[in-house]
Amino acid sequence: MNIENLFENDGRVRVAVIGEGPAGMMAATVAAESGAEVIIFEKNDKAGKKLRITGKGRCNVTNDSTNQELMAAIPTNPKFLFAAFNRFSSADTKSFFESHGVPLKVERGKRVFPVSDRASDIVNAMVKACRDAGVKVVREKITSLDIRDGKVCGVCNSNSVCECDSVIVCTGGKSYSMTGSDGDGYKFARAAGHKIVEPKPSLVPIVADGNLCQRMQGLSLKNIGFKIVDNKSGKCVYDDFGELMFTHFGLTGPVVLSASAHIPDIEKGKYTAYIDMKPALTHDELDKRIISDFAKYINKDFINSLSDLLPLKSIDIIAECSGIDDRKKVNSITKEERGALVEAIKGLKIPLLRFRPIDEAIITKGGVDVREVSPKTMESKLCHGLFFAGEVLDLDAYTGGFNLQIAFSTAVCAGENAAWNFEA
Ligand SMILES: Cc1cc2nc3c(=O)[nH]c(=O)nc-3n(C[C@H](O)[C@H](O)[C@H](O)COP(=O)(O)OP(=O)(O)OC[C@H]3O[C@@H](n4cnc5c(N)ncnc54)[C@H](O)[C@@H]3O)c2cc1C
C-alpha cells in the first residue's frame, strides 16, 4: 500500500500513531481531541488484539488507587510516572470509560473491571472514542521512521513514506507476540539513537528444577501460601497468598506470576519456592489435625491416611518429602515423623530453574530507557517530534490493572503533547 498522501494537509498538526492497542487508541483520541489530524497505523486486522484477552477476557482496566498507591505497584521506574499519573489518574481512567458507556465495578484488591465482564466492551469504547474524535485507522505495518536532522518527519512502510509532524510509538513490548507486539518499537527507538534496556519477561510462569511439579501436573491449589527465598542470603524475596497451578514445566497461576515481577532473573540454584498448603493452620494446629486423621485411620498404611487433608495428586509427593515410609502403619508414626510431615505440608520445597520465555509473559520488563524520554510529555529527548507511550517504555507493574493504567497515563501525555508541540 502507498501511504504517501494519507493526511489531508489542511493545516492541522499531523500525528502518526503506531499501534492500535490501549496506548495507541488513547494517544490518538487525545491528540485528535487536542486539534491534530491523527492516523493510527496498525498491522493487525482489528483493534486491541491483546486488550481483548486481558484479565482472562474480562479486562482489569485499572486499579482504584491513589497515585501514590499506583507508584507503589510499579517496581521499575515508578518516579518517571509521577507527572503522567498527575495528568491522568486511575479516577480519570474510570471516568473515561464510564463516560464512554462502559459501567465499571471494583473487585478484590481494588481491581476495576467492566460490569459486563467483557474486555470487548473496553475495546469497543476505545474504537468509538477514536472514531468520534475523527482518528483514521490504516491497517499497515510500519517498518521504519523517517528521521532527519534530529527530527522525525514521517513513518515508512515497505514502499513509501507518510510525512507527518509527530509520531507516537505505541507498539507494546515483546510478550504474547502473536497479538502483534513483537518488538518493532525497540527497532524504531534504536534508530533514533535510544538505548533499550534489555527486554525480559515479567508476570511469567516459572520453570522448576526436578520433577515434583510434573508429577502434580494439572493440580490447582487455591488459598496457599507462596514464598520465594534467595538460597544464598536466606532472604525471603516474595511472600503472599493466592492460587497456583502445577504444570509439566513447573509453576503458574496468579501468585506465581506476581512473584516473578519481584525477581530480576532466575538461575539454577538461586531461588527456592516454598508452598504452604495449609496457611490457615499454625504448625501446632496442623499437627493436631494430623493426630485426629491418624486416629481415624489408625490401622492403615501412612500413604492411605492423608486423603482427608490433601488433594490426591499431592499425597505421594508430600509423603515422600516427609521422609516417612509409605507403608508404615499410622499407629507407629513418631512425633518427630509427624513434625516432618507438618514441615512438608507447610513448606513444600520447589527449587526454581528459570522463567518461561518472554512470549509467555504477561508483560515485558525493559524497553525504551526512560532517562531519554521527558516524563511530562513522553517526547524523546533525542529526536524532536518522536513520542512513546505504553509498554514499549521501560516500565512495568504488578498485576491488578496497573499496566493498563501506565498505558493510558503515558498515552494521554504523549497524545496532548504530540498535538500541541508543533506548528503545522
Ligand atoms: C494475557 C494477558 C493478560 C493481561 N491482562 C491485563 C489486565 O487485566 N490488566 C492490565 O493492566 N494489564 C494486563 N495485561 C498487560 C496489558 O495488556 C499491556 O500492558 C497493554 O496491552 C500494553 O498496551 P500497549 O498499547 O502499550 O501495547 P499492545 O497492547 O501490545 O499494542 C501494541 C500494538 O501495536 C501494534 N504494532 C506493533 N508493531 C507495529 C508495527 N510495526 N506497525 C503497526 N502496528 C504495530 C501491535 O499489532 C499491537 O496492536 C495483560 C497482558 C496479557 C498478555
Side-chain angles (χ1 to χ4, degrees), residues 18-24 41-44 50 53-55 60 140-142 170-172 176 179-181 184 188 362-363 390-391 401-404 407:
I18 314 176
E20 201 187 12
F41 291 90
E42 168 59 58
K43 64 184 176 183
N44 287 336
K50 185 175 279 178
I53 58 167
T54 53
N60 178 191
E140 190 67 16
K141 178 181 164 82
I142 296 304
C170 303
T171 44
Y176 274 65
T179 63
S181 52
D184 271 356
F188 304 151
I362 299 292
I363 53 158
E391 209 178 308
F402 304 104
N403 287 291
L404 283 173

Side-chain angles (χ1 to χ4, degrees), residues 141-316:
K141 178 181 164 82
I142 296 304
T143 52
S144 61
L145 304 181
D146 181 13
I147 295 171
R148 284 179 245 158
D149 302 328
K151 180 180 178 345
V152 70
C153 303
V155 294
C156 316
N157 69 354
S158 48
N159 61 351
S160 52
V161 182
C162 175
E163 270 184 27
C164 60
D165 302 300
S166 34
V167 173
I168 313 178
V169 177
C170 303
T171 44
K174 265 193 99 168
S175 60
Y176 274 65
S177 59
M178 79 281 191
T179 63
S181 52
D182 54 8
D184 271 356
Y186 307 142
K187 197 174 73 183
F188 304 151
R190 259 195 212 101
H194 279 271
K195 186 169 169 266
I196 304 299
V197 176
E198 188 192 347
K200 288 186 179 172
S202 187
L203 304 180
V204 64
I206 300 176
V207 181
D209 208 357
N211 68 355
L212 286 192
C213 295
Q214 201 179 23
R215 289 168 58 198
M216 289 186 277
Q217 183 176 340
L219 175 62
S220 175
L221 298 174
K222 289 207 167 93
N223 304 321
I224 48 91
F226 188 72
K227 240 194 245 185
I228 296 188
V229 173
D230 181 324
N231 294 334
K232 200 161 162 204
S233 64
K235 206 175 135 201
C236 178
V237 293
Y238 183 80
D239 189 358
D240 206 350
F241 299 93
E243 185 180 346
L244 69 66
M245 266 94 68
F246 296 95
T247 71
H248 64 285
F249 61 75
L251 299 168
T252 191
V255 78
V256 177
L257 300 185
S258 294
S260 72
H262 293 254
I263 323 170
D265 226 333
I266 297 183
E267 56 195 60
K268 191 176 168 71
K270 192 152 189 240
Y271 294 108
T272 303
Y274 292 84
I275 298 170
D276 182 349
M277 300 184 58
K278 296 287 169 194
L281 301 179
T282 63
H283 282 65
D284 277 352
E285 286 165 346
L286 179 57
D287 189 41
K288 283 196 185 109
R289 166 72 202 268
I290 291 170
I291 291 170
S292 105
D293 282 7
F294 279 4
K296 183 172 167 191
Y297 296 111
I298 188 94
N299 293 318
K300 296 245 182 194
D301 290 350
F302 167 57
I303 197 70
N304 296 325
S305 68
L306 299 172
S307 53
D308 293 355
L309 188 63
L310 297 171
L312 197 61
K313 274 193 177 169
S314 68
I315 290 178
D316 279 357

